[in-house]
Amino acid sequence: MKKALLPLAVAMAIGGLTACQNTNTNTVEPSQQISPFIAQQQAFEQLTSQFIDDLWQLSPTWALYNGKHVNDGYLEVPNEQSRSKTLDFIAKQQAKFAAVDTATLTTNQQIDFELISNLLASMKWEITEFKAWQWQPSNYNVAGGFAQIINEDFAPLDERLASVIARLENVPAYYQAAQASIDNPTLEHTQLAIMQNKGAFSVLSDDLAAQVAESGLSDEQKALFTTRFDLAVKAINQHIEWLANLESDLKQNGARSFRIGEALYEKKFAFDIQAGMTGKQLYQKAVDDKNRVQAEMAKITKEIWSKYIDTPIPPNDKLAIRQLIDVLSAKHVERDNFVEEVRKQIPELVQFVNDKKLITLDPTKPLVVRETPAYMRGFAGASISAPGPYEKGGNTYYNVTPLDGMSDEAAESYLREYNHWILQVLNIHEAIPGHYTQLVYSNESPSLVKSLFGNGAMIEGWAVYTERMMLEEGYGNFEPEMWLMYYKWNLRVICNTILDYSIQVKGMEEQQALDLMMNEAFQQRAEAQGKWRRATLSQVQLTSYYSGYREIYDLREQLKVEQGDDFDLRKFHEQFLSYGSAPVKHVKQLMTSN
């Protein structure tokens, strides 16, 4: 009902504004005069809309990833001039928003204001203080934008290929600027850059050249493609060679540490997580939760030990848990069927969610399980690539990395980690009703700000929350083995926070990290080694899972108590997701303000 009143109020405001232009202002009825609050709210909507438009003009590639096609053929060159241009943009936008009287805004608008303010401050901090553009060579890779144009069917192929041709023009300048920007990098990000830039040739490939040759483009366009394509390939190869020389130098003479330290960590945590607590406070909370979850796992282990193991249970709880998990983990899919098994489980999850009426799923929004593209590999084994709010009907890709590049030993370790039970939990997290579902809802949010500038802790936290929620609702038939493996998975989420803070702030070394993950979180060696690698390549992001999960779960439990018998789980889920990907503390404010 409240939403229905707003258009009428706006219409009355417009009518009042027109009337106020009459020279005889004394004849205007009070009901016709525009409300100052409504005028401020309208002005704010115009300001945010203009901000988004200006941002896309500044960064057409960012727009492209969100499904907004402003200038797909333009590849920004990451040089000092572009950074200065961005800082100038930030200063002008901050000045505009500083003039807003937030007291006149609706609660929803106040949250949009905070999100934009945080985004601008974060952008400035990234350039002027954090300076990852200097020490993270993996920031530079042209493949993503080209892949977005080539693989997404948002326009006729010839039109998209024309954008590819235009975009190819700046590839040589792009890598020249990258090399000029890189200074005192880490060895780890340099090695990642080499691997991922080699993966760029899975996009700028012979298949692309064949598409152009067979297209309806003119002979002149095709010739231009060939010229620019060859120059782009040459530039990428030269950059890979440059990086390889840099890698050798860093190995010989030493490199910058990947650890960012407490001061930078806390600032990045505040910008990225927006949790209302410090990184250190979250770390301490995670340590307490680790002990609680381990106690739950010990109870289940004692309950089902004799079902699987004939020898007496060890008095050491962690040793007993580890031994039982090792036995259970032998039940897993064959390595060659890993991707196909993921694909097979998706309809089963859809059926369960629909039968239990946990949340409304939109069958018109495609979810495509695919092998992770080469240019995206080396960071995570599974991920979601979702369309932005401007292309709501586009494919959402569930990227699953096949195991064909692993040794037999590494593959077996990986499969034991993603065993029969945990693979199901993974698919809940990444797909149904986790990331895929949340991002579909986010695109439908009436607030474009909340959809576009999503909070990672809310996004990851939702995916983690759904894992427990699905088991609570009977997924897995309350099988103790499923709950044991869920707790193992959840313990990994908790230890992600402990690991990230300990590595980046407390100086944790690799063996200590492996001990934490293998002996405290009961992970397989391959998974632990992969997580160590990930923790050296990212900062703060690993804490987002636990932070968001705790906030969402605690909010649900609070509302269950307050609403009693009136609490409806599906209603909670759909209302929670209706606000886009805003930080949980803001979603809580919206859900409890009425």
Side-chain angles (χ1 to χ4, degrees), residues 556-568:
R556 190 195 73 176
E557 295 304 289
Q558 173 190 330
L559 292 178
K560 284 173 70 174
V561 171
E562 293 175 359
Q563 296 175 13
D565 293 340
D566 292 331
F567 179 82
D568 183 280

Side-chain angles (χ1 to χ4, degrees), residues 46 94 100 153 160 168 172 181 198 201 273 316 327 330 337 361 368 384 435 456 460 463 474 516 523 526 528 532 589:
Q46 293 172 354
Q94 286 179 324
V100 173
D153 193 22
R160 288 183 282 124
L168 283 169
S181 298
K198 288 179 178 178
F201 294 120
I273 304 301
N316 183 301
V327 172
N337 296 332
L361 301 175
V368 179
I384 287 287
H435 283 318
E460 294 296 353
L516 170 69
Q523 296 175 24
W532 163 260
Q589 183 182 356

Side-chain angles (χ1 to χ4, degrees), residues 472-491:
E472 289 175 337
E473 294 303 308
Y475 184 83
N477 298 318
F478 299 102
E479 184 184 27
E481 291 86 349
M482 175 64 91
W483 273 97
L484 180 66
M485 289 299 182
Y486 160 73
Y487 279 128
K488 174 184 180 297
W489 179 269
N490 187 243
L491 194 57

Side-chain angles (χ1 to χ4, degrees), residues 434-454:
H435 283 318
Y436 158 75
T437 304
Q438 185 270 321
L439 292 169
V440 168
Y441 269 81
S442 182
N443 280 347
E444 299 299 328
S445 169
S447 167
L448 197 56
V449 170
K450 295 183 184 67
S451 295
L452 289 171
F453 311 121

Side-chain angles (χ1 to χ4, degrees), residues 309-381:
I309 302 175
D310 294 334
T311 58
I313 188 169
N316 183 301
D317 284 343
K318 291 178 185 176
L319 179 59
I321 293 168
R322 161 61 74 188
Q323 289 184 11
L324 181 57
I325 286 175
D326 282 345
V327 172
L328 293 176
S329 296
K331 185 176 181 180
H332 60 70
V333 68
E334 296 294 325
R335 66 179 292 173
D336 292 340
N337 296 332
F338 185 72
V339 177
E340 187 55 40
E341 181 63 24
V342 170
R343 189 175 285 116
K344 173 187 165 187
Q345 288 183 14
I346 302 305
E348 299 170 3
L349 292 171
V350 171
Q351 187 68 45
F352 182 86
V353 169
N354 288 338
D355 289 348
K356 291 288 186 176
K357 299 180 180 179
L358 300 178
I359 190 169
T360 302
L361 301 175
D362 186 345
T364 68
K365 307 296 185 185
L367 174 63
V368 179
V369 179
R370 69 176 181 182
E371 293 188 3
T372 306
Y375 69 90
M376 292 174 61
R377 296 186 187 184
F379 186 74

Side-chain angles (χ1 to χ4, degrees), residues 16-58:
L17 181 60
T18 304
C20 285
Q21 293 172 345
N22 190 306
T23 54
N24 186 7
T25 56
N26 293 329
T27 64
V28 177
E29 295 294 329
S31 62
Q32 291 179 296
Q33 294 179 4
I34 186 168
S35 159
F37 275 21
I38 290 178
Q40 289 283 352
Q41 291 161 12
Q42 288 178 330
F44 181 76
E45 290 300 320
Q46 293 172 354
L47 180 61
T48 58
S49 178
Q50 188 61 54
F51 163 74
I52 293 170
D53 289 343
D54 291 345
L55 182 62
W56 298 157
Q57 291 296 327
L58 176 76

